[in-house]
Amino acid sequence: MSNSLQHLAIIMDGNGRWAAALGKDRSFGHKKGADNMKNLAIKASELDIKVLTLYAFSTENWKRSEKEVNYLMKLPGLFFDVYLKEIMKANIRVEFIGFIDKLPASTRKVVKNAVESTKMNTGMLLNLAVNYGSQQEIVQAVKDYTSDVIEGKRENDLEVADFSNYLMTKEHSHVDLLIRTSGEFRLSNFLLWQISYAELFFTDTLFPDFTPDLLEEAVLAYSSRDRRFGGAK
Ligand code: FPP
């Protein structure tokens, strides 16, 4: 049996341990992770995946050292300086989810430019989650829904399908496959609503070592999963 894979999400974990194993600074691991991110995005678009959502920075990651947070905030700029050309060539459109307004001005500028530069691309959507937290997203969605009802913009008749429209992921909310690297078995506040029926794939490989070939293997494993969405065999 072969499942269609429209929306792939990845928790890119293990950059720090990857760098430590080489006696290098954590930033070195994040830089390698970002390089790999580009390789995986190109591969995913070749595999005809429609949406790739990557967890780049969570609402909880502010707890890291100032040095590491500063580097992670600079990374989108370094990434698009080097890779925008290749992303354009692959016809990939870039969007962001997360509380972008809380990012430093320089990072917000990079976000805006990346979205603007790629908005006419018609290929895969690369959705980068930066300052993203799923519980916070759901609370925000409830607030937005409530305001719409109070302001008379809609009836108080919320349905499951409808609620997705209040999330940051909007029309591409439903995740088919979630991959987490680095041998951790956690969801870490990532797309909790959107993964309701996702297949989960955990690998011990640290993110910088999770090559496009390994991605293809994970996608192959997914294609033979028996997805029943709560139905019977
Ligand atoms: C988790 O590994 C990784 C992160 C918190 C950052 C991931 C970010 C990237 C791969 C690049 C982002 C780039 C752009 C352009 C948005 P960890 O540091 O928690 O690893 P550890 O568990 O081994 O310490």
Side-chain angles (χ1 to χ4, degrees), residues 12-21 36 181-184 203-211 214:
M12 309 183 287
D13 197 10
N15 295 340
R17 276 164 284 166
W18 184 88
N36 194 37
T181 57
S182 94
E184 308 285 356
T203 169
D204 286 341
T205 307
L206 302 175
F207 185 70
D209 290 330
F210 188 66
T211 58
L214 291 176

Side-chain angles (χ1 to χ4, degrees), residues 12-17 26 30 33 37 56 61 64 75-76 79:
M12 309 183 287
D13 197 10
N15 295 340
R17 276 164 284 166
R26 296 179 60 80
H30 293 316
M37 214 177 88
N61 284 153
R64 297 188 174 204
L75 204 42
F79 179 86

Side-chain angles (χ1 to χ4, degrees), residues 44 96 113 137 180 188:
F96 289 79
N113 286 343
E137 175 193 34
R180 183 174 191 143
S188 301

